[in-house]
Amino acid sequence: MNYQNTLAYAQQQDNEDKLSYLRDKFHIPTDKKGNPWLYFTGNSLGLQPKTTQQYIQQELDDWAKFGVEGHFEAKNPWMPYHELLTNKMAKIVGAKPIEVVVMNTLTTNLHLLMVSFYQPTKTKFKIVIESDAFPSDRYAVESQLKFHGFNPKEALVEWSPRKGEELLHIEDLENILEKDGDAIALLLIGGLNYYTGQYLDLKRIAELGHAKNCMVGIDLAHGAGNIQPNLHESGVDFAAWCTYKYLNSGPGSLAGLFVHEKHANNKDLPRFAGWWNHNKETRFNMRQPFDVMPGAEGWQLSNPPILSMAAIRASLDMFDEIGMDALREKSEKLTGYFEFLINEIDTDRIKIITPTKTSERGCQLSIQVKNADKSLHQKLTDKNIITDWREPDVIRCAPVPMYNTFEDVFTMVSILKTLL
Ligand SMILES: *Cc1c(COP(=O)(O)O)cnc(C)c1O
């Protein structure tokens, strides 16, 4: 790319951007005077599509109008409401519809998936995570180990960056499996690391794990709606992700769950049950013995919160209209521009820890600033630039292709430069 370090160039890129119309479809938060924020934290909480309100309102209206009959009489009947999300969500993560369901929240889904896919024995019981896994994932895994009577000190294996480095090497996972694979039962890896922004090769991880008869699960919290993980093709056994980050579905909204087709009809997999993973044809007879549904739907437990699903539907309809390919294309360009501008700052205080290869990252760049403290983050915030600070010295910044502009990126870097 022949990027240029001028405002005029950034504005021209916005003019030529086929997706620039999308920004207007979101509520962009503003400061007290009404100036829009430069919002770079779509990796924490995506912005609200303007259509979300009407999608939720529809369900509120139908609840008011129909009460319990809304399960069948609502414009979008609530009984099969989650099915309205499945195909669109499946496309976003590159899965078959039978492999995907929207339900619960992310950490809950990880636990339910481990009930099925973490089946330790006395000799094969260890779980591998990244040393810098998101805390919730680490806590979930540690608690699963303890629940099965293992000591995390022995049973939790960490895949770490090499000394003095931040990023992971796949060869190091290979070595772990070479050495300890017979004792490892499960790999549970963040597909796109929340801290470094590194996007790992899921297919390779699946191959390495499967070669040692390990189950392979992926947390896609920072991947879904950001990169195309091609989950089906990757061959991983299971995955889960939240929808409130890049999928713009509102704080604490429901999560996605993927179980690979190869497990779709395995009724013998241990799992927890509720009426919602019972065969939908006979669910309301209420008297049958439990008859589990095939595919990802077979992990549901409860009837789902329709209001939250309405918000997800509003967002997925946007994703579906645009498609991940077009979003990714813009995203690579936008983040590439961001990287170019950062590298133009003439200082040795700044280092981007996110990989330089576009195939190894999503939209986020994690920028390490030597001798900086949280006051730098505060100064950015005072200038309406919303980023995320991670101790000791990293700014995480995610230009989101749906609503961030080349001008946002240009302005952000200009201000960062003056603050240094
Ligand atoms: C955001 C995030 C979570 C959050 O979990 P919830 O159950 O949705 O609160 C968990 N894991 C990762 C990797 C995340 O990025």
Side-chain angles (χ1 to χ4, degrees):
M1 291 297 300
N2 285 320
Y3 292 127
Q4 290 170 29
N5 188 358
T6 63
L7 178 59
Y9 174 84
Q11 288 171 338
Q12 186 199 336
Q13 293 310 299
D14 286 326
N15 286 335
E16 290 172 8
D17 169 19
K18 288 196 282 292
L19 301 186
S20 61
Y21 73 99
L22 290 170
R23 178 179 171 85
D24 257 358
K25 295 183 179 288
F26 287 88
H27 293 288
I28 312 285
T30 63
D31 66 11
K32 290 193 184 92
K33 292 186 195 131
N35 302 309
W37 282 354
L38 279 71
Y39 193 82
F40 290 108
T41 43
N43 55 353
S44 275
L45 183 69
L47 291 180
Q48 184 187 140
K50 288 178 180 166
T51 51
T52 303
Q53 194 167 6
Q54 103 206 20
Y55 278 71
I56 294 179
Q57 193 61 50
Q58 176 73 48
E59 305 318 321
L60 289 172
D61 291 348
D62 284 350
W63 176 24
K65 203 161 139 193
F66 299 113
V68 72
E69 297 301 327
H71 284 105
F72 303 98
E73 299 297 326
K75 181 171 173 221
N76 311 299
W78 304 328
M79 264 297 295
Y81 197 96
H82 74 273
E83 293 171 17
L84 298 172
L85 311 179
T86 301
N87 287 1
K88 290 171 185 171
M89 187 62 97
K91 274 197 235 167
I92 289 174
V93 294
K96 298 189 177 185
I98 194 164
E99 296 173 318
V100 169
V101 71
V102 174
M103 64 177 220
N104 300 320
T105 45
L106 170 53
T107 308
T108 309
N109 286 350
L110 290 176
H111 277 295
L112 292 175
L113 287 162
M114 280 190 275
V115 165
S116 300
F117 296 104
Y118 176 55
Q119 288 297 316
T121 65
K122 277 206 175 82
T123 54
K124 196 170 177 68
F125 57 91
K126 296 186 183 182
I127 304 180
V128 180
I129 61 171
E130 327 100 274
S131 59
D132 202 7
F134 192 87
S136 196
D137 300 39
R138 173 181 290 264
Y139 302 150
V141 164
E142 284 177 353
S143 66
Q144 285 284 335
L145 289 169
K146 287 187 200 160
F147 179 75
H148 286 278
F150 298 104
N151 179 353
K153 282 207 176 80
E154 291 153 31
L156 188 70
V157 180
E158 295 187 19
W159 175 17
S160 314
R162 295 174 189 172
K163 213 170 152 46
E165 298 186 11
E166 284 86 18
L167 300 178
L168 295 168
H169 292 270
I170 196 88
E171 297 77 19
D172 295 341
L173 178 64
E174 215 171 329
N175 287 338
I176 290 172
L177 285 160
E178 200 52 51
K179 220 178 84 213
D180 215 8
D182 292 340
I184 293 168
L186 170 68
L187 316 183
L188 185 64
I189 306 292
L192 202 146
N193 187 271
Y194 80 101
Y195 178 68
T196 62
Q198 181 178 20
Y199 172 33
L200 296 162
D201 184 343
L202 305 187
K203 193 169 182 180
R204 186 86 190 106
I205 293 175
E207 282 165 4
L208 289 172
H210 291 157
K212 289 285 180 181
N213 286 322
C214 309
M215 286 291 176
V216 178
I218 299 293
D219 184 321
L220 268 184
H222 283 259
N226 180 19
I227 44 87
Q228 173 51 269
N230 286 318
L231 281 179
H232 176 78
E233 232 260 307
S234 78
V236 301
D237 296 284
F238 67 89
W241 57 94
C242 50
T243 63
Y244 49 80
K245 291 171 179 166
Y246 293 105
L247 291 175
N248 308 325
S249 301
S253 197
L254 295 173
L257 172 139
F258 164 92
V259 173
H260 197 278
E261 192 180 29
K262 63 192 163 196
H263 302 296
N265 293 305
N266 183 356
K267 294 192 175 188
D268 298 331
L269 271 176
R271 69 180 94 199
F272 290 160
W275 69 331
W276 234 253
N277 51 351
H278 178 91
N279 182 351
K280 44 186 138 177
E281 308 305 326
T282 58
R283 183 180 294 152
F284 286 87
N285 299 350
M286 304 291 220
R287 295 283 185 274
Q288 257 82 8
F290 182 66
D291 175 16
V292 73
M293 267 190 292
E297 287 186 327
W299 272 265
Q300 301 172 105
L301 298 178
S302 295
N303 81 101
I306 299 300
L307 299 182
S308 174
M309 286 203 162
I312 298 175
R313 205 158 74 82
S315 168
L316 295 190
D317 281 353
M318 289 183 79
F319 273 87
D320 202 54
E321 190 186 305
I322 306 148
M324 279 311 296
D325 287 351
L327 278 173
R328 235 347 246 169
E329 190 186 325
K330 171 172 175 187
S331 179
E332 287 182 12
K333 212 166 151 191
L334 186 62
T335 295
Y337 187 51
F338 187 27
E339 179 183 44
F340 163 80
L341 293 173
I342 296 277
N343 288 335
E344 288 264 294
I345 303 179
D346 186 20
T347 171
D348 54 12
R349 284 183 65 196
I350 283 200
K351 182 178 136 199
I352 298 173
I353 61 180
T354 308
T356 15
K357 274 198 201 152
T358 50
S359 60
E360 293 174 12
R361 70 184 184 201
C363 71
Q364 171 185 325
L365 292 184
S366 303
I367 305 162
Q368 194 168 39
V369 188
K370 256 187 242 160
N371 310 319
D373 56 36
K374 205 171 172 194
S375 68
L376 176 65
H377 173 255
Q378 190 52 49
K379 284 178 195 153
L380 285 168
T381 308
D382 293 343
K383 300 263 187 201
N384 281 348
I385 297 173
I386 311 306
T387 59
D388 174 90
W389 179 260
R390 287 286 143 165
E391 293 295 344
D393 56 4
V394 170
I395 303 170
R396 293 188 313 156
C397 203
V400 172
M402 274 211 191
Y403 46 77
N404 283 117
T405 62
F406 287 83
E407 185 170 342
D408 281 353
V409 164
F410 181 85
T411 310
M412 188 279 171
V413 179
S414 310
I415 292 174
L416 178 64
K417 194 165 142 187
T418 59
L419 293 177
L420 294 171

